[in-house]
Amino acid sequence: MSDVVRLLKADGTVGEIDAKAVAMFASLEGETDPATLSVSDIDADILLIEFTGAADGRGFSLAKAVLGKMAYQGKLYAVGCINPDQLSMALQTGFDGVLVPAERWADYGAEVWKAALSPIVKLSYASTRSQGLQSIWQLRHGTQS
Amino acid sequence: MYQYDQLDQSIVEQRSAEFRAQVERRLAGSISEAEFKPLRLMNGLYLQLHAYMLRVAIPYGVLSSKQMAKLADIADKYDRGYGHFTTRQNIQFNWPKLIETPDILDDLAGVQMHAIQTSGNCIRNITTDPFAGAAADEEVDPRPLCELLRQWSTLHPEFAYLPRKFKFAITGSAIDRAAIKVHDIGLRLRKGSDNRPLTDIWVGGGQGRTPKVAQLFKQGVALEDLLPYLEAIMRVYNRYGRRDNKYKARIKILLAETGLEKLQEQVEAEFQSLDRTPFVNVAAELQRITENSLTPDYASHNESGELTNNGSVPHPEFDAWKQQNVKPHKVRGYVIAMVSLKPAGGIPGDATSRQMRELAELAVRYSHDELRVTHRQNLVLPHVLERDLFALWQALVEIELAEDNIDLPSDIIACPGLDYCALATARSIPIAQAVSAKIRATEKKTDLGGISVNISGCINACAHHHVANIGVLGLNKGGVENYQLTLGGRNDQNASIGERLGPGVSGDEVPHVIERIIDFYVDVRDAGESLSDTYDRVGKEPFKEAAYV
Amino acid sequence: MPLKHSQSIIIANDLRTGRTVYLTEDSRWSDSVVDAELLDQQDYAESRLVTALSGEGANLVIDPYLVGIEPDLCASNIRERIRLSGPTIINNARVGIDQAA
Ligand code: SF4
């Protein structure tokens, strides 16, 4: 059996993708300096940002830069060292979902992964791109942010 | 002080519920300790030598009476009847159980408190001048900005996994009581020419293994630019800060290795290109915070018929306390009363539940419901009518909190050290106890103002020993506790790092060495000189000769 | 880890309470050091540590390890001594503070 990677999307659907196909997607390491990127680096329908360490959140900033400044229009997925307790941050910063290798998927179990899509903490202060989360500043002041 | 709305309330309640679920997963074995540890740390729960330790945030050191009373209840219900106030203006409980911590967080949420980001590599609880909003010399009240920064940094997804912890301090006075120059970022609020507040940003201060005084990074930033500018600094730090060595991961090292000018350029570039839409609500939010804050109704207390000492009966003990512990307030008729948590021979920063409860009561009666925590581990009643002082003092005497030693050498900062802390190399509390017991008597006879003594139990320098006039650092030399002394540090607007005096000494010797240093200073000081001033003038050698006999 | 001392015990923190606990002869965890099993053979101590680590696996304790002790049940290292006996602070300025037991 070839390796299967789960694609857990923000909308709650779970897909399966062959690991070989995942390896073909355009991909950036989380620590990439956005200043060094050009539009051609992100010219893709699917772009992956890889978290290389559990204690490194630079991929979240990179997501914001790619979606904001660089106006990337395709799908953005997180891969690598990202666990269910970090999923909410990924959604807030604009990821459309997370790609989880079979072993990591089984480690936590499908239920934990899916539950992480509707986190208990449903609020953040500053802006959020997540459907499931609300920005307190936006709720208070009604302004788009 | 700032009052939560329903949204602030929801976020702390949700966070507590989230932690409860995480604890359940841990107890059920579905997550390992390795996975759970960062989660509990993000909620302020450490594992120390004998037990868990819960660090509760006291945002910018401001407490209501109700909150203080709740801390007392928590100390009784879940802990051992006391709490330890820290140099970060927080409180620590030394004996909570993991299984009860979600209940503690719920209790805290009930009084608009939490333990979010009191640990971990994130933006920690923001600290400020303990006299904020009350000090006679204040130019700009820093509290609304503190609250804005609290909200901005709370659960900020980009800054939950920084290279290392990150500390902010803010002051709105020329006299710096918040030690802003030994923080990762220090903010000095002042009034611009059109009376609108401006901020000077200091970057790269810090203590620990490589102590540094912050450098002036950017001058005169307008409030509308401040959050985007700080976000730009955080991004640049997060991007380039070192992750290969935790001792080189703070922004002070990035600043030293990159150079001031280059780092300023990087931040400027990030600031210029940063998406400003997340900040469109900031001005309105700052306004709302100010409006949602209770300001004391100073006039209302004027008619109170409290017992006062009108001076007809001389009372030297009260006079001494007033002289040492009472500071000028911006409103006429009012004063700031400081409550020392440093009784001679006592444990710096500790208060019993009874004392906390009584203080809460006293704050209701005499201080418009408010208390503060200082970074020197003392408490403050910030808005006291001068005519109530005598009654207040009498009540403080009752609960053994009338020690008149604010800013004297027995007002020692000490971290928990090896008696509690898993990282410690030596004990600090028993040393502080011995030192304060020894010098308290001298203090009462001789004017020893202008000497600070800080004692840390390891190189992490939680007690800020580097910036004390007399710093003590506990080390472990071949299995034996050994104490190194530094002299000449300062933590105010003229911040400087103390110099190592000479070889380390045993714990028993520390009080004697300190006493000899103080005696020598008293002998040679010029009028108005602090110990560090004298040290700068006469140099290390004479102090060294006096210290080691 | 080779034994540096003639005798040692196994110490850990209880997961639920955080309190210091000791591995007993019958492989329980006790919060009293007098219940600790005294280990004087290195091979045996190491096999007991395996048992202790399974306690970590079973989510009972955190971070079990061997501590060398002197004949009077005192750890030879200051850190471990304080772990065994609790904070050394004598509070002569305040009442009501419960000393660690
Ligand atoms: S200075 Fe060291 S011993 Fe003291 S509290 Fe900090 S980490 Fe612990």
Side-chain angles (χ1 to χ4, degrees), chain B residues 48 415-418 421-426 428 455-463:
Chain B
Q48 296 288 41
C415 75
L418 193 53
C421 179
L423 301 171
T425 40
S428 38
I455 306 175
S456 300
C458 81
I459 191 65
N460 286 326
C462 296

Side-chain angles (χ1 to χ4, degrees), chain A residues 97-121:
Chain A
V98 57
L99 282 163
V100 190
E103 200 182 322
R104 206 171 168 80
W105 183 263
D107 268 356
Y108 293 94
E111 250 168 70
V112 170
W113 278 109
K114 284 192 206 162
L117 287 175
S118 40
I120 297 172
V121 178

